[in-house]
Amino acid sequence: METFKLDISKTGIEVSAEMQAAAQRANALLESGEGAGNDFLGWVHLPSSIDDAQIAAIEAQAAKLRAKADLIVCIGIGGSYLGAKAVLEAMTDPFRLLRKEQQDPTVVFAGQNISEEYIHALMEASKEHSIAAIVISKSGTTTEPAIAFRLIKAEIEKRYGKQEAAERIVAVTDKARGALKTLATQEGYPTFVIPDDVGGRFSVLTPVGLLPLAAAGVDIAALVRGAQRMEQATGTDVAFGQNPAAIYAAARNTLYAQGKKIEILGSYEPKLQYVNEWWKQLYGESEGKQGKGIFPASVTLTADLHSMGQYIQEGERTLFETIISVAKPGAEVVIEADAENLDGLNFMAGKRISEVNRMAELGVQLAHVDGGVPNIRIEIPQIDAEAVGALLYFFERACGISGYMLGVNPFDQPGVEAYKKNMFALLDKPGYEEASKAIKARL
Ligand code: PA5
């Protein structure tokens, strides 16, 4: 892809012929379905499978919610939350809530925590608004969103009645399984299906991400278009040297083999902060298993240069960095000359803020490289729906390749069950009686 660039020249590594071949083999496994976790490869050709009719159906449902509500509560956690949150933050004005005229409904999130204070504040604030909800859970049984949904559903029913609630609540869930599916069928909620073969963290381009984003006014057709272009650019017919996902996967595995156990994803655009969070789930859940895996961390720059910068520059040398760089800023603000120059900033007069940001980025890159932190640089042309769609698919494809190169099943997450067992035992859930006694004795 012309507009998406990946640069590993500042990593100090050579990707060996073996690593290149391993990346190509791993990419081929995603295609052939002969690798571990092959029940969950539906995301590989998901972008190209999305047609105009699917986009239109999602947009039509989003339009109905937009017509009814100025506040849409999107309920979900993990893969049923982070993709929509990441794209929404990237695409929208960070100060939109300060604007007197709101064109789009406000989309807020719930069910991504069990904070009483958070849900209470949301319920209170929602009183001033006309509300609707999108409830998302693939399993349909996840505790955090189930708690939030019980509260929001009750509020909607109290205010508008059960019949109207079925016009204001949309479920995104499995086609047949789970409590949410049963509930949605019983209550007559419009429902979108999460395909069986797409795991939560790879589901942003299903209705899991697309419906809340369409409700918020994001151009989902452009998002999908970007992902489609990246699907082509990372296919098995693309040579290693031209395939950014294969190069990224091979570079990070090479660095890992050299003792770089922590990858820090960073950007100089705060709008991309939740892309970092989405990426951490994608890579953390996909690779962190069997005692292996690069630990995914993140920074937002330049803010974190004033906190994490010290460690990155001089701490333990187990880090490498991946920076998402944005070629074209979405606004223009020039630093003006000041007659008194009391702040000493006149040497920057006439420069755009983005030039200063760029020099910070380049200066930091070299400082970190000099400090022993290899640097991978991803450049996207600008922050728009198409570029973000391409970026998300790039990371997904590279994650699948990288996980197979590491020798793990990138599509399961057995480790996330441990906390749930303990929590249910502590909450005396029926069926957990023995575990309950045992865990309480340990407290
Ligand atoms: O990636 C995953 O599979 C998880 O993070 C899930 O998305 C998360 O646990 C939410 O699951 P569900 O959609 O079933 O409520």
Side-chain angles (χ1 to χ4, degrees):
M1 284 178 89
E2 289 158 27
T3 50
F4 178 97
K5 295 181 189 153
L6 176 77
D7 180 3
I8 62 163
S9 66
K10 301 254 179 323
T11 55
I13 56 161
E14 289 290 326
V15 176
S16 67
E18 291 79 39
M19 275 288 180
Q20 294 187 23
Q24 292 295 71
R25 275 198 306 279
N27 201 17
L29 281 181
L30 295 175
E31 205 65 53
S32 69
E34 287 165 6
N38 53 8
D39 291 352
F40 290 96
L41 292 172
W43 59 273
V44 175
H45 292 300
L46 178 66
S48 56
S49 76
I50 300 172
D51 58 23
D52 292 348
Q54 283 168 275
I55 299 277
I58 291 170
E59 280 177 340
Q61 183 58 64
K64 284 188 191 163
L65 295 179
R66 288 164 63 86
K68 284 189 179 287
D70 66 322
L71 178 67
I72 298 174
V73 184
C74 184
I75 301 165
I77 195 167
S80 292
Y81 155 62
L82 283 162
K85 174 78 175 169
V87 179
L88 187 66
E89 291 299 308
M91 299 316 309
T92 47
D93 172 0
F95 299 106
R96 60 193 175 275
L97 297 180
L98 299 182
R99 297 197 183 279
K100 294 217 169 72
E101 296 293 317
Q102 302 285 337
Q103 299 214 315
D104 293 306
T106 301
V107 172
V108 296
F109 293 88
Q112 80 281 37
N113 58 54
I114 331 177
S115 163
E116 189 164 342
E117 216 171 305
Y118 182 95
I119 194 76
H120 179 260
L122 171 57
M123 302 299 288
E124 286 299 304
S126 78
K127 287 185 178 147
E128 294 165 22
H129 298 273
S130 174
I131 57 172
I134 300 171
V135 55
I136 307 171
S137 176
K138 183 168 188 208
S139 63
T141 56
T142 308
T143 308
E144 292 91 333
I147 294 171
F149 183 54
R150 187 180 272 216
L151 292 164
I152 303 283
K153 174 178 183 283
E155 176 69 17
I156 291 178
E157 287 176 354
K158 188 175 84 191
R159 279 204 228 170
Y160 309 106
K162 261 197 169 288
Q163 201 177 341
E164 174 66 9
E167 303 283 321
R168 288 176 179 257
I169 297 173
V170 181
V172 182
T173 190
D174 186 83
K175 66 177 184 312
R177 283 178 313 128
L180 179 58
K181 173 64 189 167
T182 311
L183 189 155
T185 306
Q186 192 149 322
E187 302 285 12
Y189 298 154
T191 302
F192 286 84
V193 171
I194 309 173
D196 283 346
D197 57 359
V198 180
R201 57 190 175 274
F202 290 86
S203 69
V204 57
L205 297 167
T206 71
V208 169
L210 298 182
L211 180 61
L213 291 169
V218 172
D219 182 352
I220 58 168
L223 187 80
V224 168
R225 208 162 48 239
Q228 287 170 342
R229 290 179 60 207
M230 187 57 82
E231 181 188 324
Q232 277 181 1
T234 55
T236 46
D237 54 340
V238 181
F240 176 84
Q242 311 302 316
N243 183 334
I247 297 171
Y248 176 55
R252 60 199 301 284
N253 274 283
T254 303
L255 290 162
Y256 183 60
Q258 294 179 3
K260 301 297 184 190
K261 308 267 188 206
I262 299 164
E263 178 175 9
I264 304 175
L265 186 71
S267 165
Y268 289 74
E269 291 298 339
K271 282 176 127 187
L272 297 180
Q273 190 171 351
Y274 271 88
V275 170
N276 294 349
E277 298 305 316
W278 170 84
W279 171 90
K280 283 195 280 196
Q281 186 205 358
L282 182 64
Y283 281 79
E285 275 192 350
S286 298
E287 295 193 321
K289 50 196 72 162
Q290 298 168 24
K292 302 197 262 196
I294 296 169
F295 182 82
S298 69
V299 287
T300 298
L301 305 166
T302 61
D304 285 333
L305 294 174
H306 300 261
S307 64
M308 295 299 287
Q310 171 60 36
Y311 190 104
I312 297 172
Q313 191 67 46
E314 295 184 346
E316 201 171 344
R317 302 297 71 190
T318 48
L319 315 170
F320 69 97
E321 243 175 352
T322 298
I323 297 297
I324 305 171
S325 185
V326 181
K328 188 164 167 275
E332 183 168 343
V333 181
V334 173
I335 301 171
E336 296 196 348
D338 182 277
E340 293 186 62
N341 194 28
L342 291 176
D343 54 12
L345 280 187
N346 269 357
F347 73 98
M348 293 187 192
K351 289 193 195 302
R352 288 177 62 175
I353 302 264
S354 55
E355 285 179 73
V356 182
N357 205 21
R358 173 78 61 215
M359 292 312 122
E361 182 181 325
L362 296 176
V364 170
Q365 182 191 50
L366 293 179
H368 288 180
V369 167
D370 291 345
V373 180
N375 188 288
I376 297 174
R377 186 164 177 273
I378 292 164
E379 185 182 283
I380 61 172
Q382 63 270 318
I383 302 178
D384 65 13
E386 196 162 333
V388 171
L391 181 68
L392 297 181
Y393 187 84
F394 158 78
F395 278 133
E396 289 181 356
R397 187 83 186 210
C399 184
I401 299 172
S402 187
Y404 278 157
M405 291 180 76
L406 187 66
V408 298
N409 173 356
F411 308 114
D412 67 359
Q413 54 285 326
V416 301
E417 295 309 314
Y419 95 90
K420 292 183 191 170
K421 283 187 196 131
N422 286 354
M423 182 175 78
F424 291 143
L426 288 167
L427 285 166
D428 297 312
K429 185 173 177 176
Y432 285 76
E433 291 75 10
E434 284 309 308
S436 187
K437 268 191 238 149
I439 196 164
K440 284 180 182 168
R442 289 177 58 200
L443 289 178

